[in-house]
Amino acid sequence: MEITSLFRENIRQLAPYSTARDEYDGELGIYLDANENPFDNGFNRYPDPHNKRIRAKISAMRGIPAERIFVGGNGSDEPIDLLFRVFCEPRQDEALSIAPSYGMYRVAAATNDIRLVEAPLTEDFRLDAEAFLSRATPRTKLAFLCSPNNPSANLLDPAEVEKVIRGFDGIVVLDEAYIDFAEHEGFLPRLAEFPNLVVLQTLSKAWGMAGIRIGFAFAAPEIVAAMERIKYPYSVNVITERLVLQELERENLRREQIALLVEERRKLVAALEKIPLIRHVFPSDANFVLVRVDEPRRVYDNLISRGIIVRDRSRIAGCEGCLRLTVGTPDENVALIEALRYPDRPFDKSAAPAASGSRRATVTRKSRETDITATLDLDNASPSKISTGLGFFDHMLDQIVHHGGFSLELTARGDLHVDEHHTIEDTALVLGEAFRQALGDKRGIGRYGFALPMDESRALVLLDFGGRIATRWDVELKRERIGDVPTEMFEHFFDSFAQAARCNLHIAARGRNEHHLIEGVFKAFARALRMAVERKPLDFDLPSSKGLL
């Protein structure tokens, strides 16, 4: 097959946008060609328009020559759109897709003014190659297959897929966004066998990079070259490039996460099959499961009311009555199962797990002396809402929140008619426990401490969330009270926090004005927290040479 004969005529004739750096392949030192700001801040220069470093890394990982790899700056969606532009004349050519399947095929076809013909899968979502190919006409230039398919989650029969590739006169686009979760290796290793095959893969799913949007098209060099000619010049920015290269070094971690998700998928399917309101659980080779229920919208709304969002696919032909459930963390899967198993049970919002990827915790402590609830969000700097009944204590807690860069809602009702001890102690225990829960397994955090001057005073706070507990208090206070707080309670507050948060906490301060002295301690503590809980983007390493905290 002469691949270029399938290109649109204007694409064959198109002269691509070119930069001076495209015309020179040696080492450069002085860049005066692109009207950039010359002052280096890490991203003042345009990125490599051809993504050579990423292509080289993927080439080594996948065993595919770099000239067969196209890097897309918006997941797989950019390659999908570009393929329409390379091969399909608007208002003239057609494309073919299985149905139900990924909705962007239809959107990209409509955007490019191309008629998309949909060939239904069987009732159990199997591909019938003969029936699929029978929908093709001489005007059909692209054929889209998604395997594992979205939303049905099943791997298409490889033998039927091969029949389509060999039997179709145009370009077959095989979307393997979820192939890492399947037992089959997919068609990428066989790419060289099929000149008309384009394999799409993405880093959004198994590799956990949905937020930075990058994907790949693997194809004949002629197809990749044509896509390179018509794409926007710098579709992958330098920050994305750095993060991608960093994350691709964590292949072992990704394999561990994939194995965990596959095991969680097995457990989820087993649990779903025992729930009365679930009528059918379809087989899954992806990181999601399609289920059929009697009243999908009612079930969907009930899950929403419990803070759980799934995908309602019940209005799609072939998916009537179906919801699509992504496999989450073990805690999230348990919450989903409980919500489906007991839809009428009153929902305890404070017991719900945090949203995936968030570092948020709600802790409640009730005793004969106090009733305290705190909601802590380490990644949200919303204004605090703090009420303990002790004005100066509230002011100090607000300093922690403001200078720590997180949000805290804390309400405490205690036996202040007796004294302040229980309220301050239990508030520290609740706050410490909230930090312990919100930090989770502590991967990627800074872990350690800070020092701060405060007017004529100075405060030193050393903090370690390593899991061991030790406190040192080297602060001399001569006043009996500061505001409405007994000075003896400040040491007790920090000691109680360290016990609950499981951290080492060393505090030393000197100064003449004891109000400034204690305020400096709380501000330094806040900055120590801020430094210790800060999480580097996409860093999943434990901050420990032992590999254990």
Side-chain angles (χ1 to χ4, degrees), residues 455-481:
D455 295 340
E456 85 293 340
S457 304
R458 72 176 187 272
L460 173 67
V461 174
L462 305 178
L463 177 66
D464 174 17
F465 277 116
R468 294 183 295 274
I469 304 171
T471 55
R472 291 188 60 181
W473 177 259
D474 184 13
V475 183
E476 184 178 351
L477 298 168
K478 298 178 181 179
R479 292 171 57 178
E480 182 178 347
R481 306 176 76 88

Side-chain angles (χ1 to χ4, degrees), residues 260-444:
L260 173 63
L261 288 171
V262 169
E263 175 60 16
E264 283 298 305
R265 180 184 70 196
R266 183 192 66 78
K267 294 178 182 177
L268 181 62
V269 167
L272 290 168
E273 288 175 340
K274 298 176 183 178
I275 296 176
L277 66 80
I278 304 291
R279 296 306 179 194
H280 185 68
V281 181
F282 292 91
S284 174
D285 298 290
N287 67 330
F288 58 90
V289 180
L290 190 72
V291 300
R292 178 164 281 135
V293 298
D294 282 339
E295 299 179 70
R297 198 64 202 182
R298 184 180 65 82
V299 175
Y300 175 88
D301 289 341
N302 183 267
L303 291 174
I304 286 289
S305 72
R306 295 165 181 264
I308 301 172
I309 184 168
V310 299
R311 194 72 189 273
D312 183 357
R313 302 278 77 186
S314 62
R315 297 181 181 87
I316 296 177
C319 292
E320 292 82 2
C322 289
L323 301 177
R324 192 188 70 191
L325 316 175
T326 302
V327 179
T329 65
D331 285 347
E332 290 171 340
N333 297 333
V334 168
L336 173 65
I337 291 299
E338 291 300 296
L340 292 170
R341 182 177 287 139
Y342 306 110
D344 299 322
R345 177 179 291 179
F347 175 53
D348 181 4
K349 185 175 182 180
S350 66
S356 176
S358 73
R359 296 191 299 168
R360 179 182 172 91
T362 297
V363 176
T364 297
R365 177 186 175 92
K366 293 183 179 181
S367 68
R368 293 179 179 177
E369 293 92 4
T370 62
D371 182 351
I372 303 173
T373 296
T375 296
L376 172 71
D377 189 339
L378 296 180
D379 301 309
N380 184 354
S382 299
S384 61
K385 297 178 181 178
I386 297 170
S387 176
T388 66
L390 296 168
F392 187 75
F393 188 41
D394 289 354
H395 179 50
M396 292 299 98
L397 293 176
D398 191 62
Q399 297 304 307
I400 295 176
V401 174
H402 178 76
H403 293 279
F406 45 81
S407 71
L408 175 67
E409 295 184 11
L410 187 147
T411 302
R413 291 191 297 273
D415 54 354
L416 295 178
H417 61 284
V418 177
D419 70 5
E420 305 85 355
H421 183 97
H422 296 135
T423 296
I424 295 174
E425 177 184 58
D426 289 1
T427 295
L429 292 173
V430 167
L431 189 58
E433 176 64 18
F435 269 90
R436 190 187 67 80
Q437 290 186 20
L439 285 173
D441 64 7
K442 304 176 186 176
R443 291 184 183 275

Side-chain angles (χ1 to χ4, degrees), residues 118-138:
E118 295 183 330
L121 297 171
T122 65
E123 287 187 3
D124 54 355
F125 302 116
R126 289 184 297 107
L127 171 66
D128 181 333
E130 185 176 345
F132 181 80
L133 290 170
S134 70
R135 298 290 183 109
T137 73

Side-chain angles (χ1 to χ4, degrees), residues 77 80 84 97-111 116 118 144 146 149-151 175 178 311 313 316 324:
D77 297 337
I80 290 169
F84 276 105
S97 171
I98 58 174
S101 196
Y102 182 40
M104 276 305 298
Y105 310 144
R106 185 184 304 110
V107 172
T111 301
L116 182 71
E118 295 183 330
F144 287 90
C146 186
N149 189 38
N150 177 13
D175 191 340
Y178 301 96
R311 194 72 189 273
R313 302 278 77 186
I316 296 177
R324 192 188 70 191

Side-chain angles (χ1 to χ4, degrees), residues 5 14 35 42 51 70 83 118 141 166 179 211 215 243 262 290-291 299 345 369 394 404 524 541 546 548:
S5 67
L14 180 70
N35 307 331
N51 315 117
F70 174 84
L83 287 166
E118 295 183 330
K141 298 295 182 65
R166 294 189 184 279
I179 196 65
L243 291 173
V262 169
L290 190 72
V291 300
V299 175
R345 177 179 291 179
E369 293 92 4
D394 289 354
D541 290 337
K546 298 178 181 179
L548 178 68

